[in-house]
Amino acid sequence: MCVSDADESYLGFTYEATDFSPAQEYDYIIVGGGTAGCPLAATLSENYSVLLLERGGVPTSDPNISYENRSLNPILTANHDDSPAQNFFSEDGVFNTRARVLGGGSMINFGFYSRADDYFYQNSGIEWDMNAVKSAYEWVENSVVTRTDGLGKWQASIYNAFVEAGVRPDNGFTLDHVQGTKIGGSTFDDSGRRHGAVELLNKANPSTLKVVVHATIDRVIFSTSKTLAAVGVTYHDSKGTHHEVRVKRDGEVILSSGAIGSPQLLLLSGIGPYSSLSSLNIPVVREHPFVGQFMADNPRNGINLLVPVRLDDVGVRVAGITETGPYVESTAVPRVTSIIPFIPFLDLIPPLNLSVVVIGGKVSRPISTGSLNLISSDVTVSPKVRFNYYSHTEDIRQCGNLVEVLRKVLKSEAMEEYEFPGILGPNYFTYIGPSLPEDSSDEESIATFCRLTLSTFWHTHGGCLVNKVVDGRLKVIGVDSIRVVDASTFFSSPGTNPQATVMMLGRYIGEKILNDRSVNAIRY
């Protein structure tokens, strides 16, 4: 499994919003050309006219996106205005980012590709056909996923360290989510070139798909003449000119704007809690109390080490799926800028013969949830989001399990060469930031470590949950002709890293829509 050079033929049907004159109607208008929106648009274009609207630009405009050794740069250069990654702080005070580029989060992440866990399928509320799920994954993987030829020095070391630490069995390479230590797929090929969701647009019918970038959607338009239904959207281009486009009869507006963008757009369009909408003078189209609720972000905790070895294999190829809950991953840090918000406490570039490594864990199923609320009726003003990290003791307990795994990792033979030599005593690890708590039975010190080292895995989900906001086919409950297809519908983050499942979801729902319309056409 190895993809070829990046295919940019999608640029042939991609337009700047300022230069694009939309048709009056399309069968489908997809809001958000991200990790789900790109495969969804490509699939629907097989039989129908599709307009894909993306608020960001094309990834070719930023060389930092394309290469694994620059994979931190989009986060480092994130701003509020026009960067591929838009930065924000949650109300919890944790630095975070959301994608603003064609291809979405798959263009600014660390590339690890792993399918969802059984728990996700069994509890998501989405109506799954597992044969179709498998086919959708394979459709994605044939275009953008590489099976790594061999592990670099650091990834090989951390693989062995996880196994020695008891994260077993030793699974070797697999795309499936299985307990133990595994090598996963990657959306970076062996030359370090990224292949994200944007390349799935190359599978589209170029005569029926129009992709428009720098098109910021203001709101969804609804008709109430008979039943409440979405009939189109309004959007503005980079010059501030507003445009209105509509969907044809039996068409749909589909929100694929991510866990921040999709609930925000529903709220701005008048679907949400009456009290909060009316306080901003937003006309209530339908009261939906759970829009923006049950927001979650998996905590990331871990340690940062300065090691006496030059490491060049940046990126993530290995994951440990523990029996006690957390998922563990590690990466050597690219030798980039001096201030790295990705790593709390890191503010240096190591000398040439030294490197920095991050060994981190993800609380896999946090119970703590929060909410998203508008602070303005202007779509360009980011909503306020609170995740309430570690408000449940069960999440702290799972972080404590992570601490114990990391302690065993550091005691493994595979990690010995990364210690500094002790002149008068034993060899030692050099921490950047907090070290692991000395007493594994001291619950208070573990809780302090978990809160002190808290950061994000960028695996935000919730806000438009199934059976709360959307039904099992991801249609907005009580409103016709509108769906939400992205991680905002997830109550848990699938697998170790969600991008595989989000891309699969776009293809899967697209095929379901095509099949449903085909059956209805035969029936009538």
Side-chain angles (χ1 to χ4, degrees):
M1 179 190 300
C2 184
V3 295
S4 58
D5 291 341
D7 183 350
E8 297 170 352
S9 56
Y10 65 88
L11 294 173
F13 48 88
T14 299
Y15 307 85
E16 280 287 336
T18 51
D19 302 329
F20 181 71
S21 298
Q24 288 188 329
E25 293 183 326
Y26 296 85
D27 290 301
Y28 294 94
I29 298 172
I30 301 174
V31 179
T35 313
C38 286
L40 176 62
T43 302
L44 291 176
S45 74
E46 293 173 15
N47 291 344
Y48 297 99
S49 61
V50 180
L51 177 65
L52 178 62
L53 299 170
E54 165 57 42
R55 70 187 183 122
V58 294
T60 52
S61 64
D62 188 337
N64 287 321
I65 288 175
S66 299
Y67 300 100
E68 190 168 24
N69 61 3
R70 303 184 192 179
S71 55
L72 274 178
N73 289 15
I75 296 171
L76 301 176
T77 58
N79 60 46
H80 185 73
D81 299 319
D82 56 6
S83 55
Q86 179 183 2
N87 57 16
F88 70 98
F89 279 88
S90 70
E91 297 289 292
D92 314 270
V94 175
F95 180 84
N96 213 319
T97 53
R98 52 188 289 216
R100 182 172 48 198
V101 63
L102 191 63
S106 73
M107 310 308 294
I108 59 170
N109 64 16
F110 293 92
F112 194 75
Y113 183 97
S114 182
R115 296 179 179 184
D117 48 304
D118 291 340
Y119 176 88
F120 171 77
Y121 299 121
Q122 294 162 4
N123 295 277
S124 67
I126 298 172
E127 298 176 11
W128 297 114
D129 172 341
M130 294 310 295
N131 288 329
V133 166
K134 181 175 182 292
S135 175
Y137 273 126
E138 291 170 348
W139 182 88
V140 170
E141 291 153 11
N142 289 339
S143 289
V144 301
V145 179
T146 293
R147 174 174 179 164
T148 303
D149 284 343
L151 295 179
K153 179 178 177 60
W154 175 248
Q155 290 297 299
S157 295
I158 205 66
Y159 187 99
N160 293 331
F162 286 168
V163 173
E164 284 188 63
V167 186
R168 297 192 176 105
D170 177 344
N171 293 303
F173 174 83
T174 178
L175 295 179
D176 292 328
H177 184 98
V178 288
Q179 184 179 311
T181 298
K182 57 172 272 187
I183 302 168
S186 178
T187 51
F188 289 104
D189 62 28
D190 287 328
S191 67
R193 181 69 185 253
R194 186 191 297 274
H195 301 270
V198 68
E199 289 186 46
L200 299 174
L201 291 173
N202 298 323
K203 294 173 175 276
N205 180 343
S207 65
T208 56
L209 174 60
K210 304 299 180 187
V211 179
V212 182
V213 295
H214 294 125
T216 302
I217 288 73
D218 298 293
R219 65 184 180 90
V220 180
I221 307 167
F222 297 97
S223 169
T224 57
S225 57
K226 292 183 179 178
T227 57
L228 180 61
V231 295
V233 302
T234 62
Y235 69 92
H236 66 270
D237 59 34
S238 58
K239 293 181 179 178
T241 303
H242 289 263
H243 310 267
E244 181 177 307
V245 285
R246 302 262 175 162
V247 290
K248 298 177 182 179
R249 181 181 178 184
D250 297 326
E252 292 183 8
V253 173
I254 304 177
L255 302 185
S256 294
S257 300
I260 306 296
S262 288
Q264 179 191 20
L265 278 170
L266 283 180
L267 293 170
L268 289 170
S269 303
I271 296 180
Y274 180 87
S275 58
S276 60
L277 295 180
S278 57
S279 68
L280 290 172
N281 296 316
I282 297 173
V284 178
V285 173
R286 179 181 173 87
E287 184 168 18
H288 241 300
F290 297 121
V291 175
Q293 301 302 304
F294 307 105
M295 296 291 297
D297 184 36
N298 301 77
R300 174 167 63 94
N301 295 95
I303 51 175
N304 315 309
L305 300 176
L306 184 67
V307 297
V309 179
R310 169 81 186 228
L311 296 169
D312 295 314
D313 61 320
V314 299
V316 179
R317 295 294 187 279
V318 171
I321 299 166
T322 70
E323 186 177 6
T324 56
Y327 307 146
V328 285
E329 297 176 357
S330 181
T331 183
V333 179
R335 312 179 79 82
V336 286
T337 188
S338 60
I339 302 296
I340 301 185
F342 163 68
I343 306 172
F345 315 105
L346 181 60
D347 60 356
L348 57 83
I349 299 176
L352 289 177
N353 60 337
L354 305 178
S355 298
V356 173
V357 296
V358 179
I359 311 174
K362 170 182 176 178
V363 173
S364 58
R365 296 168 193 159
I367 298 175
S368 307
T369 63
S371 60
L372 176 151
N373 294 283
L374 300 180
I375 57 177
S376 170
S377 58
D378 180 352
V379 69
T380 63
V381 177
S382 292
K384 62 179 181 180
V385 186
R386 178 178 293 277
F387 297 111
N388 292 321
Y389 300 102
Y390 290 133
S391 58
H392 278 265
T393 55
E394 170 60 24
D395 298 344
I396 289 284
R397 187 192 67 78
Q398 196 177 144
C399 178
N401 293 339
L402 167 66
V403 169
E404 192 58 31
V405 171
L406 295 182
R407 191 187 312 280
K408 293 177 180 177
V409 166
L410 294 186
K411 290 180 179 178
S412 67
E413 289 186 14
M415 289 294 291
E416 288 179 356
E417 68 173 299
Y418 300 103
E419 294 178 297
F420 282 84
I423 298 175
L424 299 176
N427 295 347
Y428 62 94
F429 288 106
T430 298
Y431 289 88
I432 300 172
S435 58
L436 290 174
E438 294 183 4
D439 185 354
S440 60
S441 64
D442 185 346
E443 295 181 359
E444 185 173 335
S445 65
I446 287 175
T448 298
F449 172 85
C450 293
R451 292 193 169 95
L452 188 61
T453 62
L454 169 66
S455 56
T456 182
F457 244 115
W458 303 282
H459 296 171
T460 306
H461 53 283
C464 298
L465 289 193
V466 177
N467 297 325
K468 298 289 187 182
V469 177
V470 298
D471 64 17
R473 301 179 81 81
L474 304 188
K475 296 181 178 182
V476 175
I477 296 169
V479 188
D480 288 347
S481 305
I482 183 170
R483 296 185 204 234
V484 181
V485 181
D486 57 31
S488 70
T489 64
F490 296 168
F491 91 103
S492 69
S493 179
T496 54
N497 302 69
Q499 71 163 346
T501 305
V502 177
M503 285 190 274
M504 177 277 290
L505 183 74
R507 171 65 173 175
Y508 177 85
I509 294 297
E511 288 202 296
K512 285 294 181 186
I513 292 172
L514 294 181
N515 291 338
D516 288 349
R517 290 196 68 167
S518 176
V519 169
N520 289 336
I522 293 172
R523 184 179 300 160
Y524 297 106

